[in-house]
């Protein structure tokens, strides 16, 4: 049986970096479910589908194929056979993913893909509803969070590193808007699973967060033996 770790939490809490690093250290496969929603969002943007028109979006779903491959343990996301791992990382695609992930048919499309990966491999899977909906029997559930100010600061410095100037207040507001949408949608909202361990990364750097995730995995593995 595979060992499954679910990490959920708001945008910018450091889920993906911590999950990727911890997965490398633990020898697990890292599955970034946000990337799957982003690939679908990218398809809508590039094909001029109005992301606010649920019916129009759902009509297009049969034309969209999302595939995950792992090369040297790094996740690549394919949209209709094309590697879009880089192109999905923009703010605009993140917004499109946040809006369209609220549509039940979009979520249903990705459910089996996510569950099949967890069945086949030891995974650390990150997202918003992994512990509550996708893998309710995960061996370990972590709710990774950080204050909105810290998340905004991290995002600004990430953008600055890419040479993109960013205004702290604007970024902070975008983060709050995204939290609001992700937490208040009707289907699979961002929520802490009852049995999740809360990890606040506000005062931790990436290594410290990843180490804490790894420590929790080791602890849970020992409990299970
Ligand atoms: O983690 P991220 O920023 O890459 O996710 C982009 C959007 O996708 C996020 O705002 C909400 C949605 N998402 C989701 O609804 N469920 C998941 N399991 C992962 C992401």
């Amino acid at each position: 049986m595979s060992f499954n770790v679910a990490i959920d939490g708001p945008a910018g809490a450091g889920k993906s970096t911590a999950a990727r690093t911890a997965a490398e250290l633990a020898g697990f496969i890292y599955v970034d479910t946000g990337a799957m929603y982003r690939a679908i969002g990218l398809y809508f943007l590039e094909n001029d589908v109005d992301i606010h028109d649920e019916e129009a979006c759902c009509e297009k779903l049969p034309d969209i194929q999302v595939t995950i491959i792992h090369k040297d343990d790094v996740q690549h996301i394919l949209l209709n056979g094309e590697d879009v791992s880089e192109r999905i990382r923009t703010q605009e695609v993140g917004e499109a993913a946040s809006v369209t992930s609220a549509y039940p048919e979009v979520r249903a499309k990705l459910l089996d893909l996510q569950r099949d990966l967890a069945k086949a491999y030891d995974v650390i899977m990150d997202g918003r509803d992994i512990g509550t909906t996708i893998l309710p029997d995960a061996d370990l559930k972590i709710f990774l969070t950080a204050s909105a100010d810290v998340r905004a600061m991290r995002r600004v410095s990430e953008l600055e590193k890419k040479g993109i100037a960013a205004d702290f207040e604007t970024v902070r507001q975008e983060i709050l808007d995204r939290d609001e949408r992700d937490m208040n949608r009707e289907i699979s909202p961002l929520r802490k699973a009852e049995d999740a361990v809360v990890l606040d990364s506000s005062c931790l750097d990436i290594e410290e967060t990843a180490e804490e995730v790894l420590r929790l995995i080791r602890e849970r593995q020992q409990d299970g033996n």
Side-chain angles (χ1 to χ4, degrees):
M1 271 253 291
S2 55
F3 191 95
N4 293 164
V5 181
I7 304 188
D8 293 299
K15 292 189 302 288
S16 53
T17 325
R20 189 181 308 115
T21 312
E24 256 168 44
L25 296 170
F28 285 19
I29 295 265
Y30 164 56
V31 182
D32 172 3
T33 63
M36 301 176 185
Y37 289 98
R38 283 172 181 263
I40 292 182
L42 177 70
Y43 179 93
F44 294 142
L45 292 177
E46 290 193 336
N47 290 278
D48 294 324
V49 183
D50 177 2
I51 57 167
H52 297 285
D53 183 341
E54 180 169 355
E55 214 182 304
C57 287
C58 294
E59 246 171 46
K60 287 284 177 195
L61 286 177
D63 300 345
I64 305 176
Q65 197 194 6
V66 176
T67 322
I68 294 286
I69 56 167
H70 287 89
K71 271 190 218 157
D72 300 328
D73 286 344
V74 177
Q75 174 182 295
H76 290 259
I77 185 121
L78 309 186
L79 173 61
N80 293 338
E82 187 192 345
D83 192 335
V84 294
S85 312
E86 298 291 324
R87 272 170 39 222
I88 56 171
R89 292 294 152 206
T90 65
Q91 179 72 14
E92 195 193 8
V93 174
E95 289 291 321
S98 177
V99 171
T100 58
S101 62
Y103 304 152
E105 284 180 51
V106 169
R107 304 202 72 80
K109 185 176 176 81
L110 295 177
L111 184 110
D112 286 342
L113 177 60
Q114 293 168 1
R115 285 196 179 148
D116 288 348
L117 284 165
K119 215 178 274 171
Y121 306 102
D122 290 338
V123 296
I124 299 187
M125 188 173 285
D126 84 10
R128 303 293 189 287
D129 63 335
I130 309 305
T132 52
T133 308
I134 305 296
L135 306 176
D137 297 325
D139 300 277
L140 170 65
K141 298 178 188 176
I142 297 172
F143 192 79
L144 184 62
T145 183
S147 71
D149 280 9
V150 167
R151 289 187 284 137
M153 240 140 48
R154 286 177 185 161
R155 178 79 188 138
V156 168
S157 63
E158 206 178 277
L159 289 169
E160 280 171 353
K161 267 189 218 139
K162 290 184 188 163
I164 305 167
D167 169 56
F168 175 79
E169 261 317 312
T170 312
V171 170
R172 186 172 174 279
Q173 194 54 51
E174 278 167 5
I175 283 182
L176 292 176
D177 290 348
R178 182 109 81 95
D179 285 357
E180 167 79 16
R181 198 163 39 226
D182 293 348
M183 292 167 81
N184 292 307
R185 64 178 178 223
E186 268 174 37
I187 179 167
S188 296
L190 168 63
R191 202 162 38 77
K192 180 186 108 52
E194 266 176 30
D195 50 350
V197 178
V198 177
L199 179 56
D200 186 331
S201 75
S202 301
C203 299
L204 303 177
D205 64 23
I206 289 162
E207 279 82 37
E208 289 167 330
T209 311
E211 272 166 26
E212 184 56 15
V213 171
L214 190 65
R215 193 190 66 74
L216 289 165
I217 293 174
R218 297 290 186 234
E219 194 178 80
R220 205 50 69 90
Q221 281 176 323
Q222 269 170 3
D223 289 351
N225 286 336

